[in-house]
Amino acid sequence: MNTNSSWFPLILVAFASFIITLDSTFMNVSISQLVVDLNTQVSVVQRIICFYTLTTASLMLVSSKLQDIIGKRTIFLIGAGIYGLGALIAALSQNALMLFIGWSLLEGIGGAFMTPAVVSIISGTYSGEKRTFALAISSAIVGIAAAIGPLFGGVVTTFLSWRYGFVFELLIIVFIFVFHNQIKTFPTTASKSDFDVVGGILAISGLVTFVYGILTLQHNQMNSAILMVVGCLILICFALFETRCKKQDKIPLLDMSLLKDRNLKAGMLIRLITNLSIGGSLFAVSIFLQSVLKLGAFSTGLTLLPLTVVMMVFSILAPRLVTKLNVKSVMSIGFIITIIGVILLRNQFELTTGFMDLVPGLIVYGAGLGLVISLGVGIALKNIDKEKENTASGLITTGQTLGTSMGTAIIGCLLIMGAVGGMHDAIDTYAPDQISDAEFHDNVHVYFEKLGHVNTTQLKHENTLKEKIVNTVVQDAMKLVMEVTAVILFIGLLLTLTLKDEKINRKNKKSMSR
């Protein structure tokens, strides 16, 4: 069978991308039920969720190198097996420890093994316009899984049990193994003796420390900053060690010369920025819908559905647009559209906000995201030699995972900062003589404890002082989130302008989608 003419390999690896990303979002709406079912605490469940991302991010570079030693398909299937075992243990969990082993450790390791292999398998299986389309669909699947995660989690938790979420993932893994022969075998390019053990230890320890610092950002900013700085220092040592290995004619875990490629470097950062934007903004909007508007997990997912559908449609259209323009132009237009979408959403968050108030902004935002995320991987790998694609895909997926981790942590801090500013503005506007600045700063934590127990549903049409204060807090918090998101997306636009891409003409229409 000519795999380049079949879409079945794409379907298999896209399913893997889908469940890996779904895993990082769908359980957020099930925390309270997990606490009851496993007889544990909210803080324990939150740590379990965080460690899934931590495990996945820290092993990306190592798993990318293992593709060269073991083979792309083999490492993908090993990852799928570990992931499936983890899903089974998680579904049968009787306590928090079982869930941690199944979900955070085994599924995290399996996800780390599969994710870079997805990009490598697609790049090795397809060529030309098919490669561009396949990478676009795979990238879009990641964004869609993140967007529908709350809806999926809400459905299984409300109507069945959170355990069925892991059962669903296990069924996908079984499907992958049943048809795994559809994925072609790729030759190995290195031996076991070529594995850089010291580089692997430095990469894992540096990424673990850095990512853990990100994930603790909302709880202790000082410790978080220290961890991120230490993580960066370890990663600098890793980079210096890898450079020395290359000079000594040894095979490094990461060929640092890859970062000299403008497209790969910009593409990795663009991937990080887009996932930060998606993860952070969806987290903030979901918090607003559930905490302020008091929507359930299922209704929250339905509210975000316009963004998901439009993102999918424009992800499919993006490769077609590339035949009229070039990748750089389409991605630039995508970033501009996303910024417009964020601006449309900026002033739509109040106690009286309805579904139709959010739809225009969500649709525009989703359209822009679809154009950006679908083409980012292809252009990043454009100038990378075949033998280095495995390592390059590891860099891209590491950026993707870091972006997702950073999104929820950073946006969570921005929500708190915006809420503090909103509380101060509200008191200055509506109760300037009742509370002084000194009293506000001394008692701000008390105000937020009280705010957390306000029934916003009853306040919506009361037009009372309390309603005005709460409304101002909500508005300012969400405005700050959307403004920072717009700035982050603008940085993504600037990075896109640095990409190298051919101008389109009739003779090179196909060459540009290499």
Side-chain angles (χ1 to χ4, degrees):
M1 181 191 69
N2 181 6
T3 53
N4 195 40
S5 63
S6 169
W7 291 117
F8 217 93
L10 171 63
I11 293 171
L12 294 177
V13 296
F15 271 153
S17 292
F18 181 82
I19 59 174
I20 291 166
T21 306
L22 189 75
D23 224 15
S24 63
T25 58
F26 88 93
M27 290 295 280
N28 287 314
V29 299
S30 309
I31 291 176
S32 59
Q33 192 59 49
L34 281 167
V35 170
V36 174
D37 291 349
L38 302 180
N39 190 28
T40 186
Q41 299 174 351
V42 172
S43 60
V44 173
V45 176
Q46 289 175 329
R47 288 193 191 99
I48 291 172
I49 294 173
C50 288
F51 268 93
Y52 170 76
T53 307
L54 182 65
T55 305
T56 304
S58 63
L59 292 172
M60 287 290 186
L61 290 177
V62 171
S63 68
S64 299
K65 191 62 183 178
L66 289 175
Q67 292 181 76
D68 296 333
I69 298 171
I70 302 175
K72 298 176 185 178
R73 188 178 84 156
T74 304
I75 200 68
F76 176 79
L77 293 175
I78 289 172
I82 296 172
Y83 193 96
L85 176 61
L88 177 62
I89 293 173
L92 298 175
S93 295
Q94 299 301 306
N95 51 54
L97 180 60
M98 279 188 71
L99 184 64
F100 177 80
I101 292 171
W103 185 15
S104 301
L105 290 184
L106 294 179
E107 287 200 19
I109 293 169
F113 278 27
M114 286 192 287
T115 302
V118 167
V119 177
S120 299
I121 289 170
I122 291 174
S123 296
T125 302
Y126 304 101
S127 60
E129 292 183 2
K130 278 198 167 188
R131 179 176 181 266
T132 301
F133 179 78
L135 286 171
I137 293 299
S138 176
S139 298
I141 289 295
V142 172
I144 290 166
I148 70 169
L151 174 61
F152 175 79
V155 170
V156 295
T157 302
T158 303
F159 300 107
L160 297 168
S161 164
W162 54 267
R163 299 179 188 277
Y164 283 90
F166 293 109
V167 171
F168 168 77
E169 293 177 349
L170 182 58
L171 292 176
I172 294 296
I173 293 297
V174 170
F175 177 79
I176 289 172
F177 272 103
V178 169
F179 296 101
H180 74 276
N181 286 329
Q182 297 289 325
I183 303 173
K184 73 176 187 179
T185 302
F186 300 88
T188 58
T189 57
S191 63
K192 293 179 182 178
S193 60
D194 293 324
F195 185 74
D196 179 8
V197 177
V198 175
I201 293 171
L202 287 172
I204 292 173
S205 57
L207 286 169
V208 165
T209 306
F210 182 75
V211 175
Y212 189 68
I214 293 171
L215 295 175
T216 58
L217 192 60
Q218 296 181 52
H219 308 293
N220 191 319
Q221 285 75 35
M222 181 59 71
N223 287 346
S224 175
I226 292 171
L227 286 169
M228 285 191 282
V229 169
V230 171
C232 286
L233 291 175
I234 296 174
L235 291 175
I236 290 171
C237 292
F238 165 72
L240 293 173
F241 181 81
E242 296 302 283
T243 302
R244 193 179 72 174
C245 279
K246 186 73 180 292
K247 289 180 179 178
Q248 295 175 345
D249 292 327
K250 297 178 181 178
I251 298 178
L253 183 70
L254 172 62
D255 186 349
M256 298 303 294
S257 65
L258 282 173
L259 294 176
K260 294 179 181 179
D261 184 89
R262 184 192 300 178
N263 278 18
L264 178 61
K265 188 162 52 179
M268 180 178 65
L269 292 173
I270 288 169
R271 195 71 170 170
L272 186 150
I273 282 172
T274 50
N275 278 271
L276 193 157
S277 169
I278 295 171
S281 57
L282 287 177
F283 172 74
V285 174
S286 296
I287 289 292
F288 170 78
L289 294 173
Q290 295 182 49
S291 299
V292 178
L293 300 189
K294 303 300 181 184
L295 298 184
F298 181 68
S299 298
T300 298
L302 285 179
T303 303
L304 296 172
L305 198 59
L307 181 148
T308 308
V309 173
V310 172
M311 187 162 60
M312 181 64 175
V313 171
F314 276 78
S315 297
I316 295 172
L317 289 176
R320 299 175 186 273
L321 293 175
V322 167
T323 62
K324 305 296 182 183
L325 304 168
N326 60 11
V327 175
K328 180 177 175 178
S329 299
V330 175
M331 288 182 66
S332 298
I333 292 170
F335 268 116
I336 292 170
I337 293 173
T338 58
I339 293 169
I340 294 172
V342 169
I343 292 171
L344 288 175
L345 287 169
R346 178 180 177 272
N347 295 312
Q348 299 304 319
F349 299 97
E350 301 180 4
L351 294 179
T352 56
T353 294
F355 175 72
M356 292 308 298
D357 296 318
L358 299 177
V359 166
L362 290 174
I363 288 176
V364 175
Y365 186 43
L369 285 175
L371 295 179
V372 172
I373 64 174
S374 59
L375 301 175
V377 176
I379 192 69
L381 294 175
K382 183 178 180 61
N383 305 314
I384 303 300
D385 296 333
K386 284 288 183 181
E387 62 270 17
K388 295 182 179 180
E389 277 188 350
N390 292 347
T391 304
S393 66
L395 283 172
I396 295 169
T397 49
T398 298
Q400 170 185 312
T401 309
L402 285 175
T404 303
S405 303
M406 293 170 69
T408 52
I410 292 173
I411 296 302
C413 288
L414 288 174
L415 281 172
I416 295 171
M417 291 169 57
V420 170
M423 177 72 79
H424 193 275
D425 290 343
I427 291 174
D428 277 351
T429 303
Y430 301 112
D433 300 325
Q434 297 179 29
I435 303 171
S436 67
D437 286 348
E439 288 175 322
F440 173 78
H441 290 295
D442 289 340
N443 296 286
V444 66
H445 66 284
V446 177
Y447 301 143
F448 276 101
E449 283 183 8
K450 292 181 179 179
L451 186 64
H453 294 88
V454 170
N455 188 330
T456 53
T457 305
Q458 292 180 354
L459 284 180
K460 285 182 181 180
H461 304 289
E462 289 184 5
N463 199 33
T464 61
L465 177 62
K466 187 184 290 185
E467 184 269 339
K468 291 177 180 178
I469 291 176
V470 173
N471 201 49
T472 303
V473 171
V474 170
Q475 286 177 324
D476 281 21
M478 294 302 294
K479 278 182 182 178
L480 180 62
V481 167
M482 293 302 152
E483 288 166 358
V484 173
T485 301
V487 171
I488 291 170
L489 291 169
F490 182 72
I491 295 171
L493 173 61
L494 295 179
L495 286 169
T496 301
L497 298 178
T498 69
L499 294 170
K500 294 177 66 176
D501 197 20
E502 295 96 342
K503 293 182 179 179
I504 298 301
N505 57 49
R506 291 182 180 179
K507 292 182 179 180
N508 67 10
K509 278 173 65 177
K510 292 186 178 181
S511 66
M512 61 84 208
S513 61
R514 152 78 172 76

